[in-house]
Amino acid sequence: MTTFIRTLRLRDVVLMNVVAVVGLRWIARGARAGPPSVTLWMLAWIAFFVPLAVTVASLARRYPEQGGVYVWVRRACGPTHGFICGWCLWVNNLFYFPSVLLFGAANFAAMGNWQALGASRWYSIAFVLAGIWFTAGINVVGLRLGKWLQNAGTLGVWIPVGLLIGCGVLALAKFGSATPFTPRSMIPHGNLLDTIGLWSAMCFAFSGFEIGSFVGQEIVDPERTIPRGIFIAGIATTIIYVVGSASVLFAVPLSSLKELSGITDAVQLVAGRVGLTGLGALTGGLLTLNALAGASSWTAGSARVPFALGVDSVMPAAFARLHPRYVTPHVALTVQALASSVIFLASLFFALSGRATSIQEAYDILVNLTILIYFIPYLYLFVALVRLVPDSSHALAWLGFGATAVSIALTFLPPPGSNVVTYEVNLIVQAAVMLGAGGALYMWRSRQAAVRP
């Protein structure tokens, strides 16, 4: 039996959750909806986050094994569905890593007000590929080192959020809100499809609290620590998203909001108007750190899924190998870094209709591919709660299931201004290829198992 080193305590689990779940890029993305973003955030919190938090806490308390959601679904629905769940949990991160690192690249460029650098495709490629392999390397060494990047990454949450909220309040008090807020304006209106289409990203912004369960055997007293970590980090996450989106809209007119660098732009704009220089650069630098830390957290967590699948002989045995010195799944970490690099380059360079895919379009494709594939295991997760914990709140589980299904459907709505054909083909083909590859692998391994004496 594999023995892991228990090194993560409550503080580490809370900070891991905050870094892995709180994506400040979702604040700017949600703000694209304007004042209705506040309403949509609260709807996502009620319909998705609350059921998710209750479900993960309940299952983690009873089944704290390494592998988390994969283990729970396998128990509840059998090995085939367990594999589908585990495969999707792993594969979605291959799209997530480059998308969060694109956000980091944009804010690094905004930090120095280097517009030409931020618009360069080759700069984005270099930044993302370097980030993918750096985070893979640091996690091969192990969580004893990797957790310090994750913990430091929380500075890239709290300080930018504090600056953003402070600048938003200052802009509201000194200049008035750049975006009018009234009870009527907070109700979605106008092009409802574009507005509601952002809701899937808002639900996704609350996802990820199961990351602690992926490394359950590396947490001290996981039965108590994981639920407590979810509760504490969940409160902080909700406040950050709702107040943060409102602050962006207080500071920046909706018409000039840039999604990838919107937070840095908001701080820079307000700070410049009151004579404070350097705050925008500080915010950009910290958001870059946060992007790297978030990628590192999920690099660590997601690699444990193919490791668990390898232990179960569902994936090749090489995935179950641990580094002889660092006791980490180094094969899984290396393979996922290579696959993520290939997917990023495909999303950026694959184009139809004779027009090159822009950085923003590649970002939208990667984000929605992440949501689409990541939410398939969440459908299983809520079913697992119903089957494994009969005394739980089934109404909450089915509410979460419904919100997840709606979010999946909304990913097929192309973002405003995108090349519709390129977007839809990228989304459908890449999702089909990754799911098909998983199905083919499972069938191959099943046949191998069947012919063994």
Side-chain angles (χ1 to χ4, degrees):
M1 180 178 177
T2 303
T3 301
F4 290 89
I5 301 170
R6 294 191 182 273
T7 185
L8 303 177
R9 300 184 179 276
L10 177 61
R11 182 195 64 179
D12 299 314
V13 172
V14 170
L15 295 178
M16 175 185 278
N17 275 321
V18 169
V19 170
V21 175
V22 175
L24 298 188
R25 59 193 179 130
W26 306 122
I27 291 176
R29 191 174 184 87
R32 275 171 43 180
S37 64
V38 175
T39 304
L40 293 174
W41 276 122
M42 295 310 300
L43 181 60
W45 184 82
I46 293 169
F48 182 77
F49 168 72
V50 172
L52 174 65
V54 171
T55 298
V56 173
S58 298
L59 291 172
R61 190 178 294 114
R62 289 165 174 79
Y63 308 104
E65 300 102 319
Q66 199 86 343
V69 179
Y70 161 70
V71 173
W72 304 334
V73 172
R74 194 176 191 278
R75 281 177 177 271
C77 305
T80 301
H81 294 289
F83 173 82
I84 295 171
C85 174
W87 178 260
C88 291
L89 280 170
W90 179 47
V91 164
N92 88 88
N93 286 286
L94 305 181
F95 303 103
Y96 169 79
F97 299 144
S99 69
V100 74
L101 290 169
L102 277 175
F103 177 77
N107 280 280
F108 183 79
M111 177 178 67
N113 204 23
W114 302 312
Q115 288 90 348
L117 181 65
S120 168
R121 291 162 66 85
W122 294 109
Y123 158 71
S124 297
I125 291 170
F127 188 100
V128 170
L129 293 180
I132 288 172
W133 288 99
F134 169 74
T135 54
I138 199 172
N139 278 289
V140 167
V141 176
L143 289 175
R144 282 173 292 182
L145 176 62
K147 74 177 184 179
W148 295 110
L149 175 59
Q150 296 164 16
N151 292 355
T154 58
L155 296 175
V157 175
W158 302 117
I159 296 177
V161 163
L163 290 172
L164 174 63
I165 292 173
C167 286
V169 171
L170 182 61
L172 181 64
K174 206 169 178 62
F175 313 112
S177 177
T179 307
F181 274 85
T182 64
R184 180 188 170 106
S185 71
M186 294 173 67
I187 300 173
H189 58 279
N191 191 334
L192 291 178
L193 283 181
D194 286 347
T195 300
I196 296 174
L198 294 171
W199 192 68
S200 62
M202 291 175 164
C203 289
F204 181 76
F206 281 113
S207 66
F209 283 98
E210 73 280 6
I211 189 171
S213 66
F214 289 159
V215 292
Q217 291 180 16
E218 294 165 80
I219 295 174
V220 177
D221 191 12
E223 294 87 350
R224 295 181 66 245
T225 302
I226 293 175
R228 290 169 65 197
I230 292 171
F231 175 76
I232 296 169
I235 293 174
T237 300
T238 305
I239 294 171
I240 288 170
Y241 284 145
V242 175
V243 180
S245 284
S247 296
V248 169
L249 294 168
F250 289 157
V252 180
L254 183 59
S255 59
S256 60
L257 177 65
K258 297 177 185 176
E259 180 177 339
L260 285 173
S261 59
I263 295 175
T264 300
D265 292 341
V267 172
Q268 201 154 274
L269 177 64
V270 176
R273 292 177 73 181
V274 297
L276 296 174
T277 59
L279 290 185
L282 174 63
T283 301
L286 288 171
L287 289 176
T288 303
L289 173 63
N290 176 252
L292 287 169
S296 179
S297 292
W298 280 105
T299 294
S302 64
R304 269 62 179 179
V305 176
F307 167 81
L309 291 169
V311 169
D312 288 343
S313 299
V314 179
M315 290 183 71
F319 284 91
R321 292 179 189 163
L322 295 176
H323 194 281
R325 176 179 178 184
Y326 301 119
V327 197
T328 57
H330 62 294
V331 174
L333 286 163
T334 302
V335 170
Q336 76 178 15
L338 179 61
S340 187
S341 300
V342 172
I343 284 170
F344 166 60
L345 294 174
S347 297
L348 190 59
F349 287 104
F350 177 81
L352 298 171
S353 305
R355 182 168 67 85
T357 305
S358 68
I359 295 296
Q360 180 63 52
E361 286 175 326
Y363 177 76
D364 286 330
I365 290 166
L366 289 165
V367 165
N368 284 333
L369 276 166
T370 305
I371 296 170
L372 172 61
I373 295 179
Y374 187 61
F375 273 8
I376 292 174
Y378 274 24
L379 296 175
Y380 280 118
L381 175 63
F382 292 115
V383 171
L385 180 69
V386 173
R387 291 193 173 187
L388 296 177
V389 190
D391 59 340
S392 64
S393 175
H394 291 180
L396 272 180
W398 291 121
L399 176 61
F401 185 95
T404 302
V406 169
S407 296
I408 290 174
L410 290 175
T411 62
F412 289 94
L413 292 177
S418 63
N419 183 319
V420 175
V421 176
T422 296
Y423 173 83
E424 296 291 357
V425 171
N426 253 305
L427 194 70
I428 294 170
V429 170
Q430 290 203 57
V433 167
M434 299 309 293
L435 294 174
L441 176 63
Y442 183 77
M443 291 175 62
W444 175 62
R445 296 296 293 179
S446 298
R447 287 172 183 169
Q448 278 194 325
V451 300
R452 283 177 190 154

